[in-house]
Short mmCIF file of all heavy atoms in Angstrom, two decimals:
data_model
loop_
_atom_site.label_atom_id
_atom_site.label_comp_id
_atom_site.label_asym_id
_atom_site.label_seq_id
_atom_site.Cartn_x
_atom_site.Cartn_y
_atom_site.Cartn_z
N SER J 1 52.77 0.79 78.68
CA SER J 1 51.66 1.49 78.07
C SER J 1 51.55 1.05 76.58
O SER J 1 50.48 1.14 76.01
CB SER J 1 51.82 2.99 78.16
OG SER J 1 53.06 3.39 77.60
N GLY J 2 52.63 0.62 76.02
CA GLY J 2 52.63 0.15 74.65
C GLY J 2 52.42 -1.37 74.53
O GLY J 2 52.65 -2.00 73.44
N ASP J 3 52.04 -2.03 75.67
CA ASP J 3 51.71 -3.50 75.70
C ASP J 3 52.94 -4.38 75.59
O ASP J 3 52.77 -5.54 75.31
CB ASP J 3 50.70 -3.85 74.59
CG ASP J 3 49.31 -3.31 74.87
OD1 ASP J 3 49.00 -3.01 76.03
OD2 ASP J 3 48.54 -3.13 73.92
N THR J 4 54.10 -3.84 75.85
CA THR J 4 55.23 -4.69 75.99
C THR J 4 55.24 -5.37 77.40
O THR J 4 55.04 -4.71 78.38
CB THR J 4 56.58 -3.93 75.87
OG1 THR J 4 56.60 -3.35 74.54
CG2 THR J 4 57.76 -4.78 76.04
N THR J 5 55.37 -6.68 77.37
CA THR J 5 55.34 -7.40 78.69
C THR J 5 56.75 -7.87 79.08
O THR J 5 57.58 -8.17 78.27
CB THR J 5 54.42 -8.61 78.55
OG1 THR J 5 54.84 -9.46 77.50
CG2 THR J 5 52.99 -8.18 78.35
N THR J 6 56.90 -7.90 80.38
CA THR J 6 58.17 -8.31 81.03
C THR J 6 57.80 -9.29 82.14
O THR J 6 56.87 -9.00 82.89
CB THR J 6 58.95 -7.14 81.61
OG1 THR J 6 59.16 -6.19 80.55
CG2 THR J 6 60.28 -7.62 82.16
N TYR J 7 58.59 -10.38 82.27
CA TYR J 7 58.31 -11.37 83.30
C TYR J 7 59.59 -11.70 84.10
O TYR J 7 60.68 -11.77 83.48
CB TYR J 7 57.73 -12.65 82.73
CG TYR J 7 56.40 -12.48 82.11
CD1 TYR J 7 56.25 -12.20 80.74
CD2 TYR J 7 55.23 -12.54 82.87
CE1 TYR J 7 55.02 -12.03 80.15
CE2 TYR J 7 53.97 -12.37 82.32
CZ TYR J 7 53.88 -12.12 80.91
OH TYR J 7 52.65 -11.92 80.40
N ALA J 8 59.44 -12.03 85.33
CA ALA J 8 60.59 -12.56 86.09
C ALA J 8 60.89 -13.94 85.49
O ALA J 8 59.98 -14.66 85.08
CB ALA J 8 60.21 -12.70 87.53
N ASP J 9 62.16 -14.27 85.46
CA ASP J 9 62.53 -15.60 84.93
C ASP J 9 61.78 -16.74 85.64
O ASP J 9 61.48 -17.74 84.99
CB ASP J 9 64.05 -15.77 85.08
CG ASP J 9 64.88 -14.94 84.14
OD1 ASP J 9 64.29 -14.42 83.12
OD2 ASP J 9 66.06 -14.76 84.36
N SER J 10 61.53 -16.58 86.88
CA SER J 10 60.94 -17.65 87.69
C SER J 10 59.50 -17.95 87.31
O SER J 10 58.98 -18.99 87.64
CB SER J 10 61.05 -17.33 89.17
OG SER J 10 60.36 -16.12 89.43
N VAL J 11 58.85 -16.99 86.59
CA VAL J 11 57.44 -17.19 86.24
C VAL J 11 57.19 -17.31 84.72
O VAL J 11 56.07 -17.50 84.29
CB VAL J 11 56.55 -16.11 86.82
CG1 VAL J 11 56.80 -15.97 88.36
CG2 VAL J 11 56.75 -14.80 86.16
N LYS J 12 58.25 -17.11 83.93
CA LYS J 12 58.06 -17.16 82.47
C LYS J 12 57.50 -18.49 82.04
O LYS J 12 57.91 -19.55 82.47
CB LYS J 12 59.43 -16.93 81.79
CG LYS J 12 59.86 -15.52 81.74
CD LYS J 12 61.21 -15.37 81.03
CE LYS J 12 61.71 -13.91 81.04
NZ LYS J 12 63.04 -13.77 80.41
N GLY J 13 56.45 -18.39 81.18
CA GLY J 13 55.83 -19.60 80.70
C GLY J 13 54.71 -20.07 81.60
O GLY J 13 53.94 -20.96 81.23
N ARG J 14 54.61 -19.53 82.81
CA ARG J 14 53.56 -19.93 83.74
C ARG J 14 52.54 -18.84 84.03
O ARG J 14 51.37 -19.11 84.25
CB ARG J 14 54.18 -20.42 85.04
CG ARG J 14 55.13 -21.61 84.90
CD ARG J 14 55.56 -22.14 86.27
NE ARG J 14 56.27 -21.16 87.09
CZ ARG J 14 55.89 -20.78 88.31
NH1 ARG J 14 54.82 -21.28 88.88
NH2 ARG J 14 56.61 -19.87 89.00
N PHE J 15 53.04 -17.61 84.07
CA PHE J 15 52.20 -16.45 84.40
C PHE J 15 51.96 -15.58 83.17
O PHE J 15 52.85 -15.47 82.30
CB PHE J 15 52.88 -15.60 85.50
CG PHE J 15 52.92 -16.19 86.87
CD1 PHE J 15 52.65 -17.55 87.10
CD2 PHE J 15 53.27 -15.43 87.97
CE1 PHE J 15 52.70 -18.12 88.33
CE2 PHE J 15 53.36 -15.98 89.22
CZ PHE J 15 53.07 -17.33 89.42
N SER J 16 50.86 -14.88 83.19
CA SER J 16 50.54 -14.00 82.08
C SER J 16 49.83 -12.76 82.56
O SER J 16 48.87 -12.86 83.31
CB SER J 16 49.67 -14.70 81.07
OG SER J 16 49.30 -13.82 79.99
N ILE J 17 50.35 -11.57 82.21
CA ILE J 17 49.74 -10.32 82.62
C ILE J 17 48.91 -9.78 81.47
O ILE J 17 49.27 -9.92 80.28
CB ILE J 17 50.85 -9.28 83.03
CG1 ILE J 17 50.18 -8.06 83.64
CG2 ILE J 17 51.77 -8.94 81.85
CD1 ILE J 17 51.18 -7.10 84.26
N SER J 18 47.78 -9.19 81.80
CA SER J 18 46.93 -8.58 80.80
C SER J 18 46.12 -7.46 81.43
O SER J 18 46.16 -7.23 82.62
CB SER J 18 45.99 -9.67 80.22
OG SER J 18 45.13 -10.17 81.20
N ARG J 19 45.39 -6.75 80.57
CA ARG J 19 44.46 -5.71 81.07
C ARG J 19 43.27 -5.61 80.18
O ARG J 19 43.31 -5.95 79.02
CB ARG J 19 45.19 -4.35 81.18
CG ARG J 19 45.79 -3.84 79.91
CD ARG J 19 46.57 -2.59 80.18
NE ARG J 19 47.47 -2.29 79.11
CZ ARG J 19 48.59 -1.58 79.21
NH1 ARG J 19 48.92 -1.04 80.39
NH2 ARG J 19 49.39 -1.33 78.17
N ASP J 20 42.21 -5.18 80.79
CA ASP J 20 40.91 -4.94 80.12
C ASP J 20 40.65 -3.44 80.22
O ASP J 20 40.25 -2.94 81.27
CB ASP J 20 39.80 -5.78 80.75
CG ASP J 20 38.50 -5.65 80.00
OD1 ASP J 20 38.22 -4.57 79.45
OD2 ASP J 20 37.74 -6.66 79.97
N ASN J 21 40.87 -2.75 79.14
CA ASN J 21 40.73 -1.30 79.19
C ASN J 21 39.30 -0.85 79.44
O ASN J 21 39.06 0.14 80.11
CB ASN J 21 41.27 -0.70 77.92
CG ASN J 21 42.76 -0.94 77.69
OD1 ASN J 21 43.49 -1.17 78.64
ND2 ASN J 21 43.21 -0.95 76.45
N ALA J 22 38.37 -1.59 78.91
CA ALA J 22 36.96 -1.23 79.07
C ALA J 22 36.52 -1.35 80.55
O ALA J 22 35.74 -0.53 81.03
CB ALA J 22 36.08 -2.15 78.21
N LYS J 23 37.09 -2.34 81.25
CA LYS J 23 36.74 -2.53 82.63
C LYS J 23 37.69 -1.84 83.57
O LYS J 23 37.49 -1.79 84.80
CB LYS J 23 36.73 -4.03 82.98
CG LYS J 23 35.63 -4.83 82.27
CD LYS J 23 35.67 -6.29 82.67
CE LYS J 23 34.54 -7.05 82.00
NZ LYS J 23 34.56 -8.48 82.38
N ASN J 24 38.79 -1.28 83.00
CA ASN J 24 39.81 -0.62 83.78
C ASN J 24 40.42 -1.55 84.84
O ASN J 24 40.56 -1.21 86.03
CB ASN J 24 39.29 0.65 84.44
CG ASN J 24 40.41 1.74 84.56
OD1 ASN J 24 41.32 1.78 83.73
ND2 ASN J 24 40.32 2.54 85.59
N MET J 25 40.72 -2.75 84.36
CA MET J 25 41.25 -3.81 85.21
C MET J 25 42.57 -4.32 84.66
O MET J 25 42.75 -4.38 83.41
CB MET J 25 40.27 -4.96 85.34
CG MET J 25 38.91 -4.64 85.89
SD MET J 25 38.86 -4.64 87.64
CE MET J 25 39.01 -6.36 87.97
N ALA J 26 43.41 -4.81 85.56
CA ALA J 26 44.58 -5.56 85.15
C ALA J 26 44.49 -6.94 85.82
O ALA J 26 43.90 -7.09 86.86
CB ALA J 26 45.89 -4.82 85.61
N TYR J 27 45.16 -7.92 85.12
CA TYR J 27 45.08 -9.29 85.61
C TYR J 27 46.43 -9.97 85.62
O TYR J 27 47.32 -9.58 84.89
CB TYR J 27 44.14 -10.07 84.71
CG TYR J 27 42.75 -9.53 84.57
CD1 TYR J 27 42.43 -8.75 83.49
CD2 TYR J 27 41.78 -9.78 85.56
CE1 TYR J 27 41.12 -8.22 83.35
CE2 TYR J 27 40.51 -9.23 85.44
CZ TYR J 27 40.17 -8.47 84.32
OH TYR J 27 38.92 -7.94 84.24
N LEU J 28 46.53 -10.98 86.50
CA LEU J 28 47.68 -11.83 86.45
C LEU J 28 47.18 -13.28 86.48
O LEU J 28 46.66 -13.70 87.55
CB LEU J 28 48.63 -11.58 87.64
CG LEU J 28 49.92 -12.42 87.64
CD1 LEU J 28 50.82 -11.96 86.46
CD2 LEU J 28 50.68 -12.25 88.98
N GLN J 29 47.28 -13.96 85.38
CA GLN J 29 46.92 -15.36 85.31
C GLN J 29 48.14 -16.19 85.70
O GLN J 29 49.21 -16.07 85.12
CB GLN J 29 46.48 -15.76 83.90
CG GLN J 29 46.13 -17.22 83.74
CD GLN J 29 44.88 -17.62 84.50
OE1 GLN J 29 43.88 -16.87 84.51
NE2 GLN J 29 44.97 -18.77 85.14
#
């Protein structure tokens, strides 16, 4: 909730999590 991100070691540097509060959506790039 405070925007701290955590990643599995296997995806670090390749995946990115984010959210759009206005659209009420979360994403995984």
Side-chain angles (χ1 to χ4, degrees):
S1 57
D3 290 337
T4 298
T5 55
T6 304
Y7 295 94
D9 287 343
S10 59
V11 308
K12 282 181 182 176
R14 300 189 297 123
F15 290 12
S16 178
I17 188 171
S18 63
R19 57 185 162 204
D20 185 326
N21 297 336
K23 294 181 178 180
N24 212 30
M25 301 276 290
Y27 302 98
L28 183 68
Q29 178 66 43

